């Protein structure tokens, strides 16, 4: 064990630290001193804290005094309590920002007094987006104030001129002191305050440098109190760490009302605003934007950006190793493409590379494809990715990932007008997902005419035509009970016909039939498991 003397860390007096210790790097608290923080593992960051005075001595009541007298000595009531029915909500009505995609994420607009934290990587476009929001707010009659601690006022003015975000009610101040920021608020009296960024503002009399845990906590607390007292909508820009989390204390995300994450690839024009927390609306919505030389613009229908195929309605020539799916981001269906490449590996340990998908989930899908689908991947490098920089975290993209890998392995393309939707389980079953009719409707608008979905996704009354048959057998009939082996052998033979060298797949564990239905001009095939899906696609 490394001692504090060996690491060059001096141990403070335990008597002076009767209030405990706090890490200056991550804010973790401890009752005992240690040379190394147990949370962030930094050396020499635990600092002694001044103990808070006891409530009884501060109020002069102690245990003998009454609770009412102690509370009266502490503070006075600012406003009487009201029945929830009598509370006036007119002062909390939403105000649209003028940027439709941001309004979608916020739930309709900005709520007076709300504090929003917008976090993202450097250079992703946070300042450009908020400059556009402030300009739209000013154009709508609501004065906006931008306080920047990272740029000069002249630099912000140049960007505003380039993007067309100029208005006389848009005010700019370059400050890094919290007291000066509050004086600007008193003088300008804005309806929207943008602080870019909260890590660059420091409060006088508070220990630590700007951006430290103590400073960020104090600055955020003062700005939140100011926003609530004045009914001032406030947007705080936050930095992120290497792993994508918001820099600073975790308490910052708990204090604010809304947490937005600004995402996107640096070399892509696509930007996504994702809500991680929203006290005034849905917390699973996303907004899509396009970044160019003229600024940032909202994209009402971004599905075409996530497809690599060219053609009318997004349907073009099919390529081996590609499969299209429909994912739900909040209430918005997004048509996205999954790509896979399988190549012989020259290394002893084959490589698995993932971009835009969950690596752990892709590893599970590859195991299911090999074990249940009979596709040998143990000696091959497998690369999987999405198109357009979109991240697909929903399990509904499992079936598309699996079929893309099978298509790449056999070098045989899937139909160009096909989409697949479904979660793949470890037993090889295709599990149901929500919102299938809405997903299918979005795909039909882009010209897709065929779909593979989990069994039971569409009600029997929703299909204009109903055809039962294909692979499998009737599990309730005598043939289903006595001839399961023959039905499974047919599936195994069909899969082996896809390519020589594949071992036979595991039997269709459900024994259910595949069902074809029509939905808004699409031929929708309900499949029970991965084996049935592969067999259905390669039997013709």
């Amino acid at each position: 064990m490394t001692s504090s003397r060996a690491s060059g860390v001096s141990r403070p007096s335990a008597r002076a630290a009767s209030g405990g210790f706090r890490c200056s790097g991550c804010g973790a608290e401890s009752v005992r001193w240690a040379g190394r923080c147990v949370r962030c593992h930094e050396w020499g960051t635990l600092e002694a804290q001044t103990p808070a005075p006891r409530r009884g001595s501060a109020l002069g009541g102690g245990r003998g005094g009454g609770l009412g007298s102690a509370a009266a000595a502490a503070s006075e009531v600012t406003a009487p309590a009201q029945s929830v029915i009598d509370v006036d909500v007119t002062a909390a009505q939403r105000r649209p920002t003028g940027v439709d995609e941001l309004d979608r994420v916020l739930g309709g607009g900005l709520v007076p007094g709300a504090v929003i934290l917008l976090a993202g990587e450097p250079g992703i476009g946070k300042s450009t987006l908020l400059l556009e929001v402030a300009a739209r707010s000013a154009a709508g009659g609501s004065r906006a104030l931008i306080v920047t601690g990272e740029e000069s006022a002249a630099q912000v003015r140049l960007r505003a001129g380039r993007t067309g975000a100029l208005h006389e009610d848009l005010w700019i101040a370059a400050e890094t002191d919290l007291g000066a920021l509050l004086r600007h608020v008193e003088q300008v009296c804005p309806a929207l305050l943008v602080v870019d960024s909260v890590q660059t503002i420091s409060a006088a009399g508070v220990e630590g440098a700007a951006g430290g845990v103590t400073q960020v906590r104090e600055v955020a607390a003062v700005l939140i109190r100011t926003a609530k007292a004045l009914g001032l909508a406030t947007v705080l820009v936050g930095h992120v760490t290497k792993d994508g989390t918001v820099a600073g204390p975790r308490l910052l995300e708990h204090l604010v009302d809304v947490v937005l994450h600004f995402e996107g690839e640096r070399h892509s024009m696509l930007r996504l605003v994702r809500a991680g927390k929203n006290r005034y609306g849905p917390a699973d919505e996303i907004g899509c934007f396009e970044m160019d030389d003229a600024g940032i613009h909202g994209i009402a229908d971004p599905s075409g950006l996530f497809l690599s195929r060219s053609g009318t309605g997004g349907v073009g020539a099919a390529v081996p190793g590609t499969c299209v799916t429909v994912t739900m981001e909040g209430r918005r269906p997004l048509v996205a493409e999954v790509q896979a490449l399988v190549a012989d590996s020259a290394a002893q340990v084959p490589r698995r590379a993932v971009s835009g998908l969950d690596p752990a989930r892709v590893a599970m899908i590859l195991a299911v494809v090999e074990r249940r689908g009979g596709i040998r991947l143990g000696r091959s490098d497998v690369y999987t990715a999405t198109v357009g920089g979109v991240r697909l975290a929903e399990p509904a993209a499992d079936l598309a990932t699996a079929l893309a890998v099978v298509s790449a392995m056999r070098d045989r393309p899937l139909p160009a007008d096909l989409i697949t939707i479904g979660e793949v389980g470890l037993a090889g079953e295709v599990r149901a997902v929500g919102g299938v009719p809405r997903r299918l409707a979005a795909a039909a608008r882009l010209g897709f005419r065929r779909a593979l979905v989990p069994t039971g996704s569409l009600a029997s009354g929703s299909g204009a035509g109903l055809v039962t048959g294909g692979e499998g057998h009737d599990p309730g009939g005598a043939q289903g009970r006595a001839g399961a082996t023959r039905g499974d052998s047919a599936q195994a033979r069909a899969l082996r016909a896809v390519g020589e060298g594949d071992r036979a797949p595991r039997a269709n564990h459900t024994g259910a039939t595949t069902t074809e239905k029509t939905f808004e001009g699409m031929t929708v095939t309900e499949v029970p498991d991965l084996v049935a899906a592969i067999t259905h696609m390669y039997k013709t």
Side-chain angles (χ1 to χ4, degrees), residues 417-438:
D417 59 349
L418 171 74
I419 65 162
T420 62
I421 303 169
E423 177 185 358
V424 177
L426 291 178
E429 78 278 12
V430 179
R431 300 173 181 171
V433 297
V436 171
R438 192 169 185 177

Side-chain angles (χ1 to χ4, degrees), residues 6-164:
S7 60
V9 179
S10 60
R11 178 171 184 170
S13 172
R15 183 174 299 177
S18 57
F21 299 87
R22 176 179 296 163
C23 177
S24 60
C26 66
E29 296 184 352
S30 174
V31 296
R32 294 182 179 180
W33 182 87
R36 189 180 187 185
C37 176
V38 296
R39 179 185 295 178
C40 65
H41 306 295
E42 294 292 333
W43 288 96
T45 56
L46 289 183
E47 299 177 350
Q49 301 298 306
T50 303
R54 295 184 178 181
R55 178 173 296 272
S57 60
L59 300 179
R63 290 190 178 182
L67 180 61
S69 60
S75 61
E76 297 181 357
V77 176
T78 57
Q82 293 178 280
S83 170
V84 66
I85 302 176
D86 299 331
V87 175
D88 185 13
V89 298
T90 56
Q93 296 295 330
R94 298 181 185 273
R95 185 178 68 251
T97 63
V99 181
D100 294 338
E101 288 300 301
L102 184 59
D103 289 339
R104 173 196 290 270
V105 179
L106 294 175
L110 293 172
V111 176
V115 180
I116 302 168
L117 176 64
L118 177 64
E121 296 181 356
I124 202 69
K126 303 183 297 295
S127 301
T128 304
L129 173 62
L130 294 180
L131 180 61
E132 181 70 19
V133 172
R136 296 286 184 92
S137 177
S142 300
R143 180 174 295 180
L145 171 62
I146 298 179
V147 179
T148 172
E150 300 181 344
E151 301 175 283
S152 65
Q155 290 174 324
V156 179
R157 169 62 176 82
L158 289 175
R159 186 191 303 116
R162 186 180 70 251
T163 60

Side-chain angles (χ1 to χ4, degrees), residues 162-236:
R162 186 180 70 251
T163 60
L166 296 175
H167 197 277
E168 59 181 4
D169 268 344
L170 174 58
W171 295 68
I172 301 173
E175 295 289 352
T176 58
D177 181 71
L178 179 61
L181 186 155
L182 296 178
R183 285 193 292 271
H184 283 299
V185 172
E186 294 178 359
Q187 295 172 1
V188 177
C189 297
L192 171 64
L193 172 65
V194 177
V195 181
D196 187 9
S197 65
V198 68
Q199 277 87 1
T200 61
I201 308 298
S202 60
V206 179
E207 297 181 356
V213 174
T214 307
Q215 284 284 353
V216 171
R217 182 187 294 111
E218 179 64 20
V219 170
V222 172
L223 291 177
I224 291 173
R225 288 196 300 267
T226 303
K228 303 301 181 185
L230 302 179
L232 174 61
T234 303
V235 181
L236 307 178

Side-chain angles (χ1 to χ4, degrees), residues 162-163 291-297:
R162 186 180 70 251
T163 60
M291 190 84 168
D292 55 24
D293 295 337
I296 191 166
H297 316 281

Side-chain angles (χ1 to χ4, degrees), residues 345-366:
S345 179
Q348 185 175 3
V349 179
R351 184 178 181 184
R352 302 288 189 261
V354 181
S355 176
L357 298 166
D358 183 7
R361 196 154 196 91
V362 171
M364 182 199 73
I365 294 173
L366 295 181

Side-chain angles (χ1 to χ4, degrees), residues 9 24 98 108 129 151 244 250 277 287 291 304 316 320-321 323 333 349 380 391 414 469 490-491:
V9 179
S24 60
L129 173 62
E151 301 175 283
R250 190 72 176 179
K277 169 188 176 182
M291 190 84 168
C323 189
V349 179
S380 301
R391 297 183 181 276
L414 296 168
Q491 288 191 352

